[in-house]
Amino acid sequence: MSPEELLSLGFSKELVVLFIAALPVLELRGAIPIAINVFGFPWYYALCLALIGNLLPVPFILLFLEAITRGLSKIDFFQRGLNWLFGYTRRRGRIVERYERIGLALFVAIPLPVTGAWTGSLAAKLFGLKFKHAFLAISIGVLVAGVIVTCLSLLGWIGAVIAGIALGILGILGLWRLPE
C-alpha cells in the first residue's frame, strides 16, 4: 500500500510515517525519505516520527518473540520461514555475538535492508541479551541509522560522506567493550 493510498483512507501524514517506520524491512529507511521528500516535513520532525515509529515494535518483539515463534512453528510454512530467518540472523549477527551491546547498536545502525530494529531485536533474543540492554542498544542504533538516513535524504552524496564518517567512528568505538 502506497503512502497516497493510506492518505486517501483518511490517515494523517504523521500516522503514515509512523506506520512505515514500524514496518519490517522498510523501517526508518523508508519513512524518513517519504516524510522529507514526499510530505515536506522538516528533517527534525521526520526524524522524530521515524524514530518513534521504528522503536514501537521493539519491546513487543523482545518480550513476545518466543511465544509467537512457538505458535507459528507448528505450521510447516512458517517453520521454514522462521528457520531461514533465525539462520540468517545468526550468520549476520556475529557482531552482536562478539561485541554484545555495542555490536547490537552497530548492527542496527547500518541502514541497510535486514539490519534494522526488527532484525536487531531478533538477534538480541537469539544471543540472550537482557531486555534493558537490548532496548538501549537498539535505540542507539536506530538513532544513528536515523541520522544517517536523514543526512542522505537531505544532502545526497555529501550526506553519504557524513554517514561514512559516522559509521567509521562507530566502528572504532565498537572495538572497545563496555564493562557490565
Side-chain angles (χ1 to χ4, degrees), residues 5 9 12 17 22 31 35 39 52 60-61 86 104 106 124 140 142-143 155 157-159 163 165 177:
E5 290 173 317
L9 293 174
S12 68
V17 172
F39 296 150
I52 292 167
F60 299 103
I61 297 168
F86 289 148
L104 181 59
L106 286 170
I140 291 168
V142 165
L143 175 63
L155 303 173
W157 283 107
I158 295 171
I165 292 169
R177 291 183 67 147

Side-chain angles (χ1 to χ4, degrees), residues 2-21:
S2 72
E4 291 79 18
E5 290 173 317
L6 290 171
L7 290 172
S8 71
L9 293 174
F11 292 104
S12 68
K13 292 177 180 178
E14 289 82 1
L15 199 53
V16 170
V17 172
L18 287 169
F19 177 73
I20 293 169

Side-chain angles (χ1 to χ4, degrees), residues 45-96:
Y45 190 56
L47 178 61
C48 287
L49 286 172
L51 292 174
I52 292 167
N54 201 191
L55 289 173
L56 278 175
V58 171
F60 299 103
I61 297 168
L62 291 173
L63 293 172
F64 303 116
L65 178 68
E66 291 169 21
I68 292 168
T69 55
R70 256 193 321 272
L72 289 176
S73 65
K74 294 176 182 176
I75 302 167
D76 187 50
F77 172 77
F78 290 114
Q79 177 64 41
R80 284 181 284 175
L82 289 170
N83 286 342
W84 176 86
L85 182 61
F86 289 148
Y88 178 84
T89 304
R90 277 190 186 93
R91 286 188 305 277
R92 296 283 302 222
R94 295 202 198 284
I95 188 172
V96 177

